[in-house]
Amino acid sequence: MRIRGILAAFVVALSVVLMAGLAQSGADLLRADRPAVTETKRTTAGAETWVTGPGTQVQLRAITFNMCGGYCNGGATDRLHLVQQEIGKFQPPAHLIMLQEVCYSQFEWFQSAYAGTYEFSFTPLLTNYPSCGLSDCAVNEDSDPNNDDRRCWVGQVLGARGALGAKEEIALGGENHQVDNSGKPLALPRTFNALCHDVTLTGVPGKVKGCSTHLYAYYDAGGVGHRARTAQAARLASELDDDIAAGKVVVVGGDFNAVPQPHNTPVLDSFYRPTAAPGGGVGRFFEADTTDDRDPDGPLPDGPEPPLWTQTDPDCVASSVVQTCRSGQSTTVDVSPTDPRNSKLDYLFFSEAAGAATLSAAPYAMYFDDAARTSLTYKASEAARAADGDYLKLSDHTLYRGWSTVTVEP
């Protein structure tokens, strides 16, 4: 049975939040936050209805995390138990785990640590990346891939609680004319593939596809990066149309390196549905964190929640027709008290088998609370500091968990 779309009629109350500031991604821009540690709940006065076939409704749960495994962690595996600890706090367990900027040695650690529970797959973004722990990656720069040292690989990982089907690496383009923020050619060009698998998930009796992706990261004045990201997002969304038409629930998680607001950037127009406010889109997806409400569970543990970015127009306006928002909490992590970051760059998209009223999400930052980097805190006020005053943090991105009730076809 194919899912043709969603015919929705809702009654909704969505309040408007003011959001402030746009920051770049982490320092190396391979690819910072005022998150609420508690999950963001949707406020609806009525229930959504949507057209489905004879499928089963389940709460599909996913995590996406740009773990900055190279630049922030040097390819080390001795801190990965902290990532595992945070993943384990998401209960019931996540069906899908999407990780970005993972060194190959770290991917192997996840494979071993989760053997028998999750299956993991990897695709490289860079094959000659010295920040993964091997300083000389020259052997990977010749024309023979058979002699590559995988300790120089960094890329995307997809994990499924169950079994992975055939691997699909969707080529996104953007390899030509890669430049940094100043417009100079990149010394280490990337290869952009979305890592996708059809998956058989524990407790989910139907057709699901998961994808982990990382789009072009730089923000040059000439717009090279902007054009590349826009094209990459459109290519990925287009390539997934056939899967959605075939009745699969498709979940895409990753670092899109773009903010959601259409008047700032139309990069994500190809993912957001026409009813997403403001501006709509041409896509077939709902984003997990689309609320405009302040955190309904109260302020952050270490003080009042500050405003997020400010927009010229409201994100969402209450209407007799439900409109999900092009908004959400920051997914970047503060560098220091004097260098705050406040930008949403990471996303969890659920295809149109999702129920908009059931979407919920919780991006949150993780800092080290000790100089030895052995334990975590969610509070910047408790973060240990480097000699230069910067916070010691597990990643420059938040861990982002989200879920939606979806209808899976047999």
Side-chain angles (χ1 to χ4, degrees), residues 33-42 61-65 86 89-90 287-291 295 297 328-331 344 346 348 350 359-366 378 398-403:
D33 162 334
R34 295 294 189 189
V37 175
T38 50
E39 285 76 22
T40 301
K41 305 296 191 297
R42 296 296 165 265
R61 301 167 70 82
I63 289 173
T64 188
F65 182 35
E86 295 304 315
K89 290 180 179 178
F90 193 29
E287 213 274 312
D289 188 20
T290 59
T291 184
D295 172 27
D297 298 307
Q329 297 181 72
S330 173
T331 67
K344 180 178 173 65
D346 303 86
L348 268 176
F350 292 86
L359 294 165
S360 197
Y364 64 92
M366 295 171 290
Y378 310 133
T398 65
L399 186 141
Y400 179 175
R401 57 193 190 182
W403 57 94

Side-chain angles (χ1 to χ4, degrees), residues 386-399:
D388 60 3
D390 286 355
Y391 295 134
L392 299 182
K393 52 195 180 295
L394 184 60
S395 174
D396 52 2
H397 289 250
T398 65
L399 186 141

Side-chain angles (χ1 to χ4, degrees), residues 127-293:
T127 57
N128 56 350
Y129 188 54
S131 292
C132 276
L134 191 67
S135 59
D136 185 1
C137 294
V139 66
N140 290 12
E141 296 175 1
D142 61 24
S143 59
D144 182 7
N146 296 313
N147 64 0
D148 274 7
D149 190 325
R150 295 185 178 185
R151 290 176 294 176
C152 291
W153 287 11
V154 66
Q156 294 80 258
V157 165
L158 177 69
R161 189 175 181 85
L164 296 171
K167 183 177 185 179
E168 181 181 2
E169 294 175 297
I170 298 177
L172 303 181
E175 280 78 17
N176 293 330
H177 193 56
Q178 297 182 45
V179 299
D180 63 16
N181 289 338
S182 65
K184 296 178 180 178
L186 287 184
L188 298 174
R190 285 78 167 133
T191 299
F192 298 99
N193 291 312
L195 174 62
C196 301
H197 285 263
D198 289 335
V199 294
T200 301
L201 300 174
T202 302
V204 182
K207 297 183 290 188
V208 178
K209 188 185 195 81
C211 297
S212 179
T213 193
H214 190 298
L215 304 190
Y216 198 106
Y218 290 87
Y219 308 90
D220 61 289
V224 172
H226 173 73
R227 290 190 293 273
R229 280 186 292 278
T230 305
Q232 288 170 346
R235 176 66 180 271
L236 179 54
S238 178
E239 289 295 310
L240 295 172
D241 275 345
D242 193 50
D243 293 290
I244 297 172
K248 298 175 189 176
V249 177
V250 181
V251 184
V252 182
D255 180 0
F256 283 71
N257 277 302
V259 297
Q261 292 81 6
H263 64 270
N264 283 328
T265 168
V267 169
L268 297 171
D269 283 1
S270 55
F271 273 84
Y272 281 106
R273 293 174 57 79
T275 55
V282 293
R284 304 177 69 175
F285 288 85
F286 295 102
E287 213 274 312
D289 188 20
T290 59
T291 184
D292 271 353
D293 295 326

